Amino acid sequence: MTEMKKLSRRALVAGAGALAAAPAFAATGTAPTPIATLWSEAQTLASKLAAHRGAIAAAASRTGNSTPGWMRLGGEANRIAEARYGKLVAILHETPRNNGDLAILAKVSQDADIQLGARLWASEKLAAATVALHA
């Protein structure tokens, strides 16, 4: 019975990531954009990371919240969080193709991990993308 719950939870996590990107899909009526795909993958990783929330918060409090807690951890928590952060940075490198992409870019620029590091760069990318998309 326990395995069935885990399988259901995994299916929900995968579905949640797909739903998070749905507005970007609906905005174009076409295949998902690279930003929407990356966002879906980042959301799936964030869901997996939730299991390590306590350890991440404890590590962050030891560093004075100046560094994401996951950077102080090893093992699975660090691996998942590093992969998620990589997806967020990849989103910031992409060019938005529609308003759905722009909305995702705005969410990424406000992400806690981005705010602790690449905050100014992310804000500049968002501003430049907004101007370019609506020019």
Side-chain angles (χ1 to χ4, degrees), residues 56-131:
I56 292 169
S61 69
R62 289 191 301 271
T63 63
N65 291 325
S66 62
T67 303
W70 61 265
M71 287 185 171
R72 303 287 183 204
L73 298 175
E76 184 182 40
N78 183 274
R79 182 186 57 76
I80 294 169
E82 186 71 34
R84 179 182 172 275
Y85 188 78
K87 300 287 182 188
L88 298 177
V89 171
I91 289 169
L92 292 169
H93 280 289
E94 286 290 336
T95 301
R97 298 182 182 179
N98 55 46
N99 285 332
D101 280 356
L102 199 58
I104 292 169
L105 194 64
K107 289 178 186 177
V108 169
S109 72
Q110 295 302 306
D111 183 87
D113 288 342
I114 296 296
Q115 287 291 304
L116 285 174
R119 177 181 58 233
L120 296 176
W121 175 66
S123 295
E124 177 57 33
K125 293 293 283 185
L126 176 60
T130 301
V131 170

Side-chain angles (χ1 to χ4, degrees), residues 18-75:
L19 285 175
F25 302 156
T28 62
T30 61
T33 64
I35 287 178
T37 300
L38 287 165
W39 179 247
S40 177
E41 293 167 358
Q43 291 298 96
T44 298
L45 290 166
S47 294
K48 292 178 182 178
L49 201 56
H52 304 281
R53 186 180 354 219
I56 292 169
S61 69
R62 289 191 301 271
T63 63
N65 291 325
S66 62
T67 303
W70 61 265
M71 287 185 171
R72 303 287 183 204
L73 298 175

